[in-house]
mmCIF file of all heavy atoms in Angstrom:
data_model
loop_
_atom_site.group_PDB
_atom_site.id
_atom_site.type_symbol
_atom_site.label_atom_id
_atom_site.label_comp_id
_atom_site.label_asym_id
_atom_site.label_seq_id
_atom_site.Cartn_x
_atom_site.Cartn_y
_atom_site.Cartn_z
ATOM 1 N N VAL A 1132 122.804 -38.990 -10.590
ATOM 2 C CA VAL A 1132 122.121 -39.320 -11.815
ATOM 3 C C VAL A 1132 121.711 -38.247 -12.564
ATOM 4 O O VAL A 1132 121.948 -38.112 -13.841
ATOM 5 C CB VAL A 1132 120.816 -40.171 -11.420
ATOM 6 C CG1 VAL A 1132 119.960 -40.403 -12.629
ATOM 7 C CG2 VAL A 1132 121.165 -41.591 -10.712
ATOM 8 N N VAL A 1133 121.183 -37.097 -11.889
ATOM 9 C CA VAL A 1133 120.729 -35.924 -12.656
ATOM 10 C C VAL A 1133 121.847 -35.139 -13.227
ATOM 11 O O VAL A 1133 121.893 -34.572 -14.200
ATOM 12 C CB VAL A 1133 119.853 -35.033 -11.567
ATOM 13 C CG1 VAL A 1133 119.556 -33.709 -12.391
ATOM 14 C CG2 VAL A 1133 118.558 -35.799 -11.294
ATOM 15 N N LEU A 1134 122.997 -35.100 -12.442
ATOM 16 C CA LEU A 1134 124.153 -34.318 -12.881
ATOM 17 C C LEU A 1134 124.700 -35.029 -14.170
ATOM 18 O O LEU A 1134 124.984 -34.305 -15.150
ATOM 19 C CB LEU A 1134 125.230 -34.350 -11.839
ATOM 20 C CG LEU A 1134 126.533 -33.522 -11.989
ATOM 21 C CD1 LEU A 1134 126.018 -32.004 -12.145
ATOM 22 C CD2 LEU A 1134 127.480 -33.807 -10.996
ATOM 23 N N LEU A 1135 124.774 -36.270 -14.205
ATOM 24 C CA LEU A 1135 125.209 -36.992 -15.393
ATOM 25 C C LEU A 1135 124.266 -36.788 -16.535
ATOM 26 O O LEU A 1135 124.640 -36.609 -17.658
ATOM 27 C CB LEU A 1135 125.399 -38.481 -15.113
ATOM 28 C CG LEU A 1135 125.709 -39.444 -16.390
ATOM 29 C CD1 LEU A 1135 127.042 -39.032 -16.873
ATOM 30 C CD2 LEU A 1135 125.622 -40.909 -15.827
ATOM 31 N N LEU A 1136 122.979 -36.812 -16.229
ATOM 32 C CA LEU A 1136 121.916 -36.880 -17.262
ATOM 33 C C LEU A 1136 122.052 -35.418 -18.019
ATOM 34 O O LEU A 1136 121.979 -35.434 -19.205
ATOM 35 C CB LEU A 1136 120.574 -36.969 -16.625
ATOM 36 C CG LEU A 1136 119.355 -36.762 -17.687
ATOM 37 C CD1 LEU A 1136 119.413 -37.885 -18.710
ATOM 38 C CD2 LEU A 1136 118.017 -36.879 -16.913
ATOM 39 N N TYR A 1137 122.190 -34.435 -17.220
ATOM 40 C CA TYR A 1137 122.121 -33.014 -17.885
ATOM 41 C C TYR A 1137 123.461 -32.797 -18.607
ATOM 42 O O TYR A 1137 123.459 -31.926 -19.470
ATOM 43 C CB TYR A 1137 121.768 -31.944 -16.874
ATOM 44 C CG TYR A 1137 120.238 -31.814 -16.648
ATOM 45 C CD1 TYR A 1137 119.602 -32.522 -15.714
ATOM 46 C CD2 TYR A 1137 119.568 -31.018 -17.505
ATOM 47 C CE1 TYR A 1137 118.149 -32.437 -15.604
ATOM 48 C CE2 TYR A 1137 118.102 -30.894 -17.434
ATOM 49 C CZ TYR A 1137 117.538 -31.652 -16.407
ATOM 50 O OH TYR A 1137 116.155 -31.483 -16.376
ATOM 51 N N VAL A 1138 124.504 -33.293 -18.241
ATOM 52 C CA VAL A 1138 125.770 -33.283 -18.923
ATOM 53 C C VAL A 1138 125.605 -33.914 -20.379
ATOM 54 O O VAL A 1138 126.056 -33.402 -21.323
ATOM 55 C CB VAL A 1138 126.913 -33.934 -18.194
ATOM 56 C CG1 VAL A 1138 128.176 -34.161 -19.048
ATOM 57 C CG2 VAL A 1138 127.380 -33.122 -16.961
ATOM 58 N N LEU A 1139 124.963 -35.093 -20.284
ATOM 59 C CA LEU A 1139 124.676 -35.787 -21.564
ATOM 60 C C LEU A 1139 123.683 -34.845 -22.533
ATOM 61 O O LEU A 1139 123.851 -34.941 -23.729
ATOM 62 C CB LEU A 1139 124.211 -37.114 -21.389
ATOM 63 C CG LEU A 1139 125.119 -38.035 -20.670
ATOM 64 C CD1 LEU A 1139 124.421 -39.357 -20.315
ATOM 65 C CD2 LEU A 1139 126.325 -38.323 -21.396
ATOM 66 N N ILE A 1140 122.701 -34.420 -21.853
ATOM 67 C CA ILE A 1140 121.703 -33.580 -22.651
ATOM 68 C C ILE A 1140 122.412 -32.341 -23.234
ATOM 69 O O ILE A 1140 121.963 -32.110 -24.470
ATOM 70 C CB ILE A 1140 120.516 -33.046 -21.676
ATOM 71 C CG1 ILE A 1140 119.651 -34.362 -21.319
ATOM 72 C CG2 ILE A 1140 119.631 -32.059 -22.462
ATOM 73 C CD1 ILE A 1140 118.593 -34.016 -20.273
ATOM 74 N N ARG A 1141 123.225 -31.722 -22.571
ATOM 75 C CA ARG A 1141 123.980 -30.565 -23.147
ATOM 76 C C ARG A 1141 125.033 -30.936 -24.161
ATOM 77 O O ARG A 1141 125.225 -30.255 -25.222
ATOM 78 C CB ARG A 1141 124.651 -29.803 -22.069
ATOM 79 C CG ARG A 1141 123.686 -29.200 -21.014
ATOM 80 C CD ARG A 1141 124.410 -28.377 -19.880
ATOM 81 N NE ARG A 1141 123.371 -27.983 -18.941
ATOM 82 C CZ ARG A 1141 123.379 -28.347 -17.633
ATOM 83 N NH1 ARG A 1141 124.273 -29.130 -17.178
ATOM 84 N NH2 ARG A 1141 122.423 -27.886 -16.824
ATOM 85 N N LYS A 1142 125.666 -32.068 -23.970
ATOM 86 C CA LYS A 1142 126.702 -32.574 -24.919
ATOM 87 C C LYS A 1142 126.109 -33.228 -26.154
ATOM 88 O O LYS A 1142 126.708 -33.081 -27.239
ATOM 89 C CB LYS A 1142 127.611 -33.494 -24.168
ATOM 90 C CG LYS A 1142 128.950 -33.844 -24.889
ATOM 91 C CD LYS A 1142 129.990 -34.482 -24.051
ATOM 92 C CE LYS A 1142 131.363 -34.690 -24.689
ATOM 93 N NZ LYS A 1142 131.942 -33.386 -25.078
ATOM 94 N N PHE A 1143 125.043 -34.071 -26.016
ATOM 95 C CA PHE A 1143 124.467 -34.746 -27.154
ATOM 96 C C PHE A 1143 122.985 -34.445 -27.291
ATOM 97 O O PHE A 1143 122.122 -35.275 -26.693
ATOM 98 C CB PHE A 1143 124.606 -36.208 -26.926
ATOM 99 C CG PHE A 1143 126.017 -36.653 -26.616
ATOM 100 C CD1 PHE A 1143 126.483 -36.969 -25.293
ATOM 101 C CD2 PHE A 1143 126.923 -36.782 -27.584
ATOM 102 C CE1 PHE A 1143 127.704 -37.371 -24.983
ATOM 103 C CE2 PHE A 1143 128.321 -37.227 -27.296
ATOM 104 C CZ PHE A 1143 128.668 -37.442 -25.984
ATOM 105 N N PRO A 1144 122.567 -33.188 -27.706
ATOM 106 C CA PRO A 1144 121.105 -32.897 -27.703
ATOM 107 C C PRO A 1144 120.185 -33.738 -28.471
ATOM 108 O O PRO A 1144 119.073 -33.804 -27.938
ATOM 109 C CB PRO A 1144 121.320 -31.420 -28.460
ATOM 110 C CG PRO A 1144 122.734 -31.079 -28.293
ATOM 111 C CD PRO A 1144 123.427 -32.237 -28.302
ATOM 112 N N LYS A 1145 120.622 -34.496 -29.396
ATOM 113 C CA LYS A 1145 119.785 -35.382 -30.143
ATOM 114 C C LYS A 1145 119.890 -36.869 -29.724
ATOM 115 O O LYS A 1145 118.998 -37.649 -29.980
ATOM 116 C CB LYS A 1145 120.007 -35.279 -31.630
ATOM 117 C CG LYS A 1145 119.655 -33.929 -32.179
ATOM 118 C CD LYS A 1145 119.823 -33.986 -33.767
ATOM 119 C CE LYS A 1145 119.309 -32.621 -34.360
ATOM 120 N NZ LYS A 1145 119.432 -32.589 -35.898
ATOM 121 N N TRP A 1146 121.047 -37.162 -29.198
ATOM 122 C CA TRP A 1146 121.331 -38.656 -28.902
ATOM 123 C C TRP A 1146 121.476 -38.888 -27.326
ATOM 124 O O TRP A 1146 121.922 -39.832 -26.839
ATOM 125 C CB TRP A 1146 122.571 -39.140 -29.582
ATOM 126 C CG TRP A 1146 122.210 -39.152 -31.092
ATOM 127 C CD1 TRP A 1146 122.520 -38.379 -31.919
ATOM 128 C CD2 TRP A 1146 121.505 -40.200 -31.791
ATOM 129 N NE1 TRP A 1146 122.188 -38.620 -33.313
ATOM 130 C CE2 TRP A 1146 121.490 -39.880 -33.166
ATOM 131 C CE3 TRP A 1146 120.857 -41.312 -31.366
ATOM 132 C CZ2 TRP A 1146 120.797 -40.606 -34.046
ATOM 133 C CZ3 TRP A 1146 120.211 -42.075 -32.268
ATOM 134 C CH2 TRP A 1146 120.213 -41.837 -33.643
ATOM 135 N N TRP A 1147 121.162 -37.880 -26.482
ATOM 136 C CA TRP A 1147 121.420 -37.963 -25.046
ATOM 137 C C TRP A 1147 120.716 -39.113 -24.448
ATOM 138 O O TRP A 1147 121.216 -39.867 -23.558
ATOM 139 C CB TRP A 1147 121.063 -36.723 -24.335
ATOM 140 C CG TRP A 1147 119.520 -36.416 -24.381
ATOM 141 C CD1 TRP A 1147 118.843 -35.535 -25.155
ATOM 142 C CD2 TRP A 1147 118.494 -36.980 -23.563
ATOM 143 N NE1 TRP A 1147 117.492 -35.608 -24.917
ATOM 144 C CE2 TRP A 1147 117.313 -36.408 -23.837
ATOM 145 C CE3 TRP A 1147 118.505 -37.952 -22.467
ATOM 146 C CZ2 TRP A 1147 116.122 -36.657 -23.191
ATOM 147 C CZ3 TRP A 1147 117.405 -38.204 -21.710
ATOM 148 C CH2 TRP A 1147 116.059 -37.690 -22.153
ATOM 149 N N TRP A 1148 119.357 -39.436 -25.016
ATOM 150 C CA TRP A 1148 118.670 -40.480 -24.451
ATOM 151 C C TRP A 1148 119.367 -41.978 -24.708
ATOM 152 O O TRP A 1148 119.288 -42.718 -23.793
ATOM 153 C CB TRP A 1148 117.327 -40.661 -25.166
ATOM 154 C CG TRP A 1148 117.389 -40.822 -26.642
ATOM 155 C CD1 TRP A 1148 117.542 -39.964 -27.588
ATOM 156 C CD2 TRP A 1148 117.254 -42.138 -27.240
ATOM 157 N NE1 TRP A 1148 117.577 -40.456 -28.872
ATOM 158 C CE2 TRP A 1148 117.417 -41.786 -28.705
ATOM 159 C CE3 TRP A 1148 117.118 -43.377 -26.939
ATOM 160 C CZ2 TRP A 1148 117.426 -42.849 -29.601
ATOM 161 C CZ3 TRP A 1148 117.150 -44.412 -27.811
ATOM 162 C CH2 TRP A 1148 117.216 -44.109 -29.178
ATOM 163 N N ALA A 1149 120.078 -42.136 -25.848
ATOM 164 C CA ALA A 1149 120.827 -43.322 -26.143
ATOM 165 C C ALA A 1149 122.008 -43.504 -25.222
ATOM 166 O O ALA A 1149 122.210 -44.601 -24.791
ATOM 167 C CB ALA A 1149 121.116 -43.420 -27.551
ATOM 168 N N VAL A 1150 122.768 -42.340 -25.175
ATOM 169 C CA VAL A 1150 123.980 -42.469 -24.261
ATOM 170 C C VAL A 1150 123.507 -42.666 -22.781
ATOM 171 O O VAL A 1150 124.242 -43.350 -22.161
ATOM 172 C CB VAL A 1150 124.786 -41.147 -24.561
ATOM 173 C CG1 VAL A 1150 126.110 -41.202 -23.649
ATOM 174 C CG2 VAL A 1150 125.073 -40.908 -25.982
ATOM 175 N N ALA A 1151 122.550 -41.962 -22.371
ATOM 176 C CA ALA A 1151 122.050 -42.072 -21.014
ATOM 177 C C ALA A 1151 121.546 -43.467 -20.745
ATOM 178 O O ALA A 1151 121.925 -44.081 -19.601
ATOM 179 C CB ALA A 1151 120.956 -41.172 -20.708
ATOM 180 N N TRP A 1152 121.006 -44.116 -21.665
ATOM 181 C CA TRP A 1152 120.556 -45.568 -21.562
ATOM 182 C C TRP A 1152 121.776 -46.512 -21.314
ATOM 183 O O TRP A 1152 121.826 -47.336 -20.552
ATOM 184 C CB TRP A 1152 119.742 -45.913 -22.680
ATOM 185 C CG TRP A 1152 119.322 -47.419 -22.648
ATOM 186 C CD1 TRP A 1152 118.425 -48.011 -21.848
ATOM 187 C CD2 TRP A 1152 119.933 -48.502 -23.460
ATOM 188 N NE1 TRP A 1152 118.329 -49.309 -21.982
ATOM 189 C CE2 TRP A 1152 119.255 -49.672 -22.971
ATOM 190 C CE3 TRP A 1152 120.891 -48.592 -24.442
ATOM 191 C CZ2 TRP A 1152 119.633 -50.997 -23.581
ATOM 192 C CZ3 TRP A 1152 121.270 -49.874 -24.954
ATOM 193 C CH2 TRP A 1152 120.583 -50.962 -24.505
ATOM 194 N N GLY A 1153 122.917 -46.147 -22.189
ATOM 195 C CA GLY A 1153 124.018 -46.907 -22.054
ATOM 196 C C GLY A 1153 124.757 -46.731 -20.648
ATOM 197 O O GLY A 1153 125.329 -47.779 -20.112
ATOM 198 N N CYS A 1154 124.683 -45.584 -20.094
ATOM 199 C CA CYS A 1154 125.256 -45.354 -18.825
ATOM 200 C C CYS A 1154 124.345 -45.943 -17.739
ATOM 201 O O CYS A 1154 124.758 -46.256 -16.648
ATOM 202 C CB CYS A 1154 125.375 -43.814 -18.589
ATOM 203 S SG CYS A 1154 126.573 -42.980 -19.665
ATOM 204 N N PHE A 1155 123.026 -45.963 -18.005
ATOM 205 C CA PHE A 1155 122.009 -46.521 -17.056
ATOM 206 C C PHE A 1155 122.324 -47.988 -16.704
ATOM 207 O O PHE A 1155 122.181 -48.423 -15.518
ATOM 208 C CB PHE A 1155 120.636 -46.357 -17.681
ATOM 209 C CG PHE A 1155 119.587 -46.945 -16.806
ATOM 210 C CD1 PHE A 1155 119.049 -46.293 -15.727
ATOM 211 C CD2 PHE A 1155 118.985 -48.170 -17.373
ATOM 212 C CE1 PHE A 1155 118.041 -46.875 -15.002
ATOM 213 C CE2 PHE A 1155 117.911 -48.728 -16.593
ATOM 214 C CZ PHE A 1155 117.559 -48.122 -15.422
ATOM 215 N N ILE A 1156 122.810 -48.793 -17.674
ATOM 216 C CA ILE A 1156 122.920 -50.263 -17.453
ATOM 217 C C ILE A 1156 123.960 -50.483 -16.332
ATOM 218 O O ILE A 1156 123.661 -51.167 -15.381
ATOM 219 C CB ILE A 1156 123.352 -50.911 -18.756
ATOM 220 C CG1 ILE A 1156 122.232 -50.766 -19.806
ATOM 221 C CG2 ILE A 1156 123.617 -52.400 -18.564
ATOM 222 C CD1 ILE A 1156 122.543 -51.255 -21.164
ATOM 223 N N PRO A 1157 125.200 -50.017 -16.447
ATOM 224 C CA PRO A 1157 126.123 -50.260 -15.342
ATOM 225 C C PRO A 1157 125.688 -49.726 -13.977
ATOM 226 O O PRO A 1157 125.956 -50.191 -13.014
ATOM 227 C CB PRO A 1157 127.429 -49.612 -15.899
ATOM 228 C CG PRO A 1157 127.005 -48.658 -16.877
ATOM 229 C CD PRO A 1157 125.801 -49.233 -17.495
ATOM 230 N N LEU A 1158 124.999 -48.538 -14.033
ATOM 231 C CA LEU A 1158 124.496 -47.916 -12.880
ATOM 232 C C LEU A 1158 123.528 -48.838 -12.169
ATOM 233 O O LEU A 1158 123.572 -49.020 -10.903
ATOM 234 C CB LEU A 1158 123.854 -46.524 -13.213
ATOM 235 C CG LEU A 1158 123.313 -45.835 -11.943
ATOM 236 C CD1 LEU A 1158 124.485 -45.408 -11.069
ATOM 237 C CD2 LEU A 1158 122.599 -44.505 -12.408
ATOM 238 N N VAL A 1159 122.641 -49.598 -12.892
ATOM 239 C CA VAL A 1159 121.664 -50.436 -12.318
ATOM 240 C C VAL A 1159 122.441 -51.620 -11.583
ATOM 241 O O VAL A 1159 122.051 -51.911 -10.439
ATOM 242 C CB VAL A 1159 120.774 -51.065 -13.378
ATOM 243 C CG1 VAL A 1159 119.919 -52.203 -12.920
ATOM 244 C CG2 VAL A 1159 119.784 -49.961 -13.889
ATOM 245 N N PHE A 1160 123.347 -52.117 -12.192
ATOM 246 C CA PHE A 1160 124.202 -53.238 -11.602
ATOM 247 C C PHE A 1160 124.871 -52.816 -10.321
ATOM 248 O O PHE A 1160 125.015 -53.441 -9.335
ATOM 249 C CB PHE A 1160 125.118 -53.915 -12.520
ATOM 250 C CG PHE A 1160 124.391 -54.850 -13.502
ATOM 251 C CD1 PHE A 1160 124.050 -54.418 -14.901
ATOM 252 C CD2 PHE A 1160 124.081 -56.181 -13.177
ATOM 253 C CE1 PHE A 1160 123.443 -55.301 -15.738
ATOM 254 C CE2 PHE A 1160 123.493 -57.009 -14.060
ATOM 255 C CZ PHE A 1160 123.049 -56.534 -15.343
ATOM 256 N N PHE A 1161 125.463 -51.571 -10.481
ATOM 257 C CA PHE A 1161 126.277 -51.009 -9.368
ATOM 258 C C PHE A 1161 125.186 -50.853 -8.143
ATOM 259 O O PHE A 1161 125.666 -51.137 -6.982
ATOM 260 C CB PHE A 1161 126.815 -49.630 -9.761
ATOM 261 C CG PHE A 1161 127.525 -48.977 -8.627
ATOM 262 C CD1 PHE A 1161 128.714 -49.394 -8.118
ATOM 263 C CD2 PHE A 1161 126.954 -47.826 -8.116
ATOM 264 C CE1 PHE A 1161 129.387 -48.770 -7.047
ATOM 265 C CE2 PHE A 1161 127.646 -47.182 -6.976
ATOM 266 C CZ PHE A 1161 128.749 -47.721 -6.583
ATOM 267 N N MET A 1162 124.105 -50.286 -8.342
ATOM 268 C CA MET A 1162 123.157 -49.977 -7.228
ATOM 269 C C MET A 1162 122.722 -51.285 -6.649
ATOM 270 O O MET A 1162 122.653 -51.496 -5.366
ATOM 271 C CB MET A 1162 122.041 -49.277 -7.760
ATOM 272 C CG MET A 1162 122.240 -47.851 -8.150
ATOM 273 S SD MET A 1162 122.921 -46.908 -6.759
ATOM 274 C CE MET A 1162 121.594 -46.933 -5.492
ATOM 275 N N MET A 1163 122.468 -52.401 -7.480
ATOM 276 C CA MET A 1163 122.160 -53.692 -6.945
ATOM 277 C C MET A 1163 123.278 -54.320 -6.211
ATOM 278 O O MET A 1163 123.073 -55.057 -5.208
ATOM 279 C CB MET A 1163 121.693 -54.677 -8.143
ATOM 280 C CG MET A 1163 120.372 -54.263 -8.734
ATOM 281 S SD MET A 1163 119.773 -55.471 -9.931
ATOM 282 C CE MET A 1163 119.453 -56.948 -8.837
ATOM 283 N N TYR A 1164 124.536 -54.050 -6.569
ATOM 284 C CA TYR A 1164 125.732 -54.548 -5.927
ATOM 285 C C TYR A 1164 125.917 -53.987 -4.482
ATOM 286 O O TYR A 1164 126.175 -54.649 -3.539
ATOM 287 C CB TYR A 1164 126.956 -54.361 -6.824
ATOM 288 C CG TYR A 1164 128.090 -55.086 -6.200
ATOM 289 C CD1 TYR A 1164 128.356 -56.466 -6.418
ATOM 290 C CD2 TYR A 1164 129.065 -54.414 -5.526
ATOM 291 C CE1 TYR A 1164 129.503 -57.098 -5.932
ATOM 292 C CE2 TYR A 1164 130.146 -54.980 -4.944
ATOM 293 C CZ TYR A 1164 130.355 -56.404 -5.287
ATOM 294 O OH TYR A 1164 131.515 -57.000 -4.670
ATOM 295 N N ILE A 1165 125.729 -52.629 -4.366
ATOM 296 C CA ILE A 1165 125.934 -52.003 -3.215
ATOM 297 C C ILE A 1165 124.678 -52.032 -2.089
ATOM 298 O O ILE A 1165 124.700 -51.683 -1.000
ATOM 299 C CB ILE A 1165 126.317 -50.625 -3.383
ATOM 300 C CG1 ILE A 1165 125.241 -49.674 -3.904
ATOM 301 C CG2 ILE A 1165 127.567 -50.494 -4.279
ATOM 302 C CD1 ILE A 1165 125.561 -48.194 -3.927
ATOM 303 N N GLN A 1166 123.543 -52.316 -2.866
ATOM 304 C CA GLN A 1166 122.256 -52.368 -2.006
ATOM 305 C C GLN A 1166 122.325 -53.123 -0.664
ATOM 306 O O GLN A 1166 122.075 -52.610 0.449
ATOM 307 C CB GLN A 1166 121.133 -52.926 -2.799
ATOM 308 C CG GLN A 1166 119.751 -52.922 -2.074
ATOM 309 C CD GLN A 1166 118.941 -51.683 -2.140
ATOM 310 O OE1 GLN A 1166 119.110 -50.892 -3.245
ATOM 311 N NE2 GLN A 1166 118.188 -51.428 -1.244
ATOM 312 N N PRO A 1167 122.857 -54.340 -0.624
ATOM 313 C CA PRO A 1167 122.821 -55.170 0.515
ATOM 314 C C PRO A 1167 123.897 -54.639 1.538
ATOM 315 O O PRO A 1167 123.691 -54.863 2.755
ATOM 316 C CB PRO A 1167 123.190 -56.530 0.000
ATOM 317 C CG PRO A 1167 123.126 -56.614 -1.360
ATOM 318 C CD PRO A 1167 123.223 -55.208 -1.859
ATOM 319 N N VAL A 1168 124.930 -54.065 1.011
ATOM 320 C CA VAL A 1168 126.046 -53.712 1.915
ATOM 321 C C VAL A 1168 126.271 -52.210 2.387
ATOM 322 O O VAL A 1168 126.876 -51.915 3.356
ATOM 323 C CB VAL A 1168 127.424 -54.212 1.509
ATOM 324 C CG1 VAL A 1168 127.455 -55.719 1.317
ATOM 325 C CG2 VAL A 1168 127.650 -53.581 0.039
#
Side-chain angles (χ1 to χ4, degrees):
V1132 172
V1133 172
L1134 189 63
L1135 174 61
L1136 178 64
Y1137 276 90
V1138 167
L1139 297 178
I1140 290 175
R1141 294 177 186 121
K1142 194 171 182 64
F1143 308 102
K1145 292 186 177 180
W1146 293 99
W1147 66 264
W1148 62 273
V1150 182
W1152 177 74
C1154 296
F1155 172 78
I1156 297 172
L1158 181 62
V1159 168
F1160 284 99
F1161 175 72
M1162 291 303 299
M1163 291 188 66
Y1164 187 80
I1165 68 169
Q1166 179 85 28
V1168 294

